[in-house]
Amino acid sequence: PEGNINFVPTPTAPPVPSNGVMPAPDLVYWFIPNDTQFPYIASWNFTVKQALPGSSSIEVSYVGNRGFHMRVQVDVNQSPPGQGAAGRLLFRAFGRTSPTPCRCSDKDSNYNALQVLGKRQFRNGLYLQLAYTWSRALDNMGISSYWAPEGYDYGPTAGQAAHTMVFSHVYELPFGPGQKYLSRGILSHVLGSWALNGIFVAKTGNWFGVTADAAALGAVGAANRPDITKPVNYPRQVGPGTQWFDTTAFTRPAPFTFGNAGKNILVGPG
């Protein structure tokens, strides 16, 4: 009865068909395969460090890692190019029309970088540091289609920059107890123990890609990229009504075909 916390209604189980197979409702749901593997990353590095005159030092490092069995979500109820909704894999096998996302673990990534770090230890209240990284990150985390060409989704990782430089400094102001100026009195406590810190970052632009309308593929659950017809020039214009890159280098691919433009082949503003 309603309001009686001592009473728990008995749930009613759905009827089981004679073949013992319960039909799944044609709704959107995701699943994890039985053979799913745990993702992991293997990392390695090698560093050489050298002391320099003037309380300075320099480090040169190679840093790398490799990701295995990385997670990705993909709709397995796709269809080949040109077959449309009628060619969906699960529709042909079971009459299922809804998207069926799989949380799979079959993607990889890799990262390689040269890192240089220069330091000037605290001397006369001044500390300096300059760090530079030249890196390359690649992955195949996206799945355009099960029928895309081999290696179609392998390329630079979106959002990564090839070159990054970071300059930082700390300067202790020469005021206060133990310093050159105003070492005594009230002002020494007011103006003492202050420092000027700064960080300057300069980097090239991030990798990004170009997409094309996938409707002409005639493939449910697929993504597409355009054809590239010439080297891409960069007018490097920023703002409304301007172009950062030459869009005429790309054209719409032929119907039922994947465009030949690579994954994340463009570089944004730095």
Side-chain angles (χ1 to χ4, degrees):
E2 184 178 355
N4 186 350
I5 63 174
N6 296 317
F7 175 79
V8 179
T10 302
T12 302
V16 179
S18 58
N19 61 4
V21 178
M22 297 288 292
D26 199 3
L27 302 175
V28 177
Y29 64 91
W30 56 266
F31 70 97
I32 299 176
N34 291 331
D35 59 352
T36 295
Q37 302 186 58
F38 286 102
Y40 68 93
I41 296 178
S43 301
W44 52 89
N45 63 81
F46 177 78
T47 300
V48 176
K49 183 174 182 179
Q50 176 66 49
L52 301 174
S55 301
S56 301
S57 65
I58 185 171
E59 300 178 18
V60 180
S61 304
Y62 162 69
V63 177
N65 65 57
R66 174 79 183 275
F68 298 88
H69 311 302
M70 308 305 291
R71 295 291 175 86
V72 65
Q73 181 165 303
V74 57
D75 180 17
V76 299
N77 201 12
Q78 300 182 15
S79 64
Q83 295 193 15
R88 286 174 290 190
L89 295 177
L90 298 183
F91 176 77
R92 291 188 299 179
F94 309 107
R96 178 172 173 77
T97 60
S98 296
T100 309
C102 169
R103 296 190 176 179
C104 307
S105 58
D106 56 355
K107 295 301 174 181
D108 299 315
S109 65
N110 64 77
Y111 173 85
N112 294 277
L114 169 68
Q115 298 179 354
V116 180
L117 177 63
K119 296 181 180 179
R120 179 187 183 275
Q121 301 301 326
F122 264 111
R123 186 179 181 184
N124 299 325
L126 179 63
Y127 172 81
L128 301 173
Q129 178 174 295
L130 178 65
Y132 168 74
T133 300
W134 175 30
S135 64
R136 182 75 160 171
L138 302 167
D139 67 57
N140 60 352
M141 295 300 292
I143 298 181
S144 298
S145 170
Y146 287 144
W147 290 269
E150 184 177 358
Y152 193 71
D153 293 309
Y154 184 77
T157 300
Q160 294 290 321
H163 302 276
T164 303
M165 184 186 71
V166 180
F167 174 73
S168 59
H169 72 273
V170 178
Y171 176 59
E172 293 183 340
L173 297 179
F175 308 117
Q179 300 292 338
K180 186 176 181 179
Y181 304 105
L182 299 176
S183 59
R184 297 181 182 180
I186 296 178
L187 287 179
S188 69
H189 297 284
V190 175
L191 300 178
S193 303
W194 289 88
L196 297 177
N197 304 329
I199 298 177
F200 170 79
V201 179
K203 61 192 290 286
T204 54
N206 294 335
W207 295 100
F208 72 98
V210 179
T211 60
D213 184 7
L217 267 176
V220 175
N224 203 3
R225 294 196 291 268
D227 283 336
I228 182 169
T229 58
K230 62 181 180 180
V232 181
N233 293 319
Y234 288 84
R236 300 183 183 276
Q237 300 173 354
V238 179
T242 63
Q243 288 187 349
W244 174 254
F245 64 93
D246 181 13
T247 58
T248 63
F250 300 94
T251 60
R252 188 186 302 273
F256 313 135
T257 60
F258 291 94
N260 62 15
K263 172 183 174 180
N264 296 332
I265 59 173
L266 300 178
V267 179

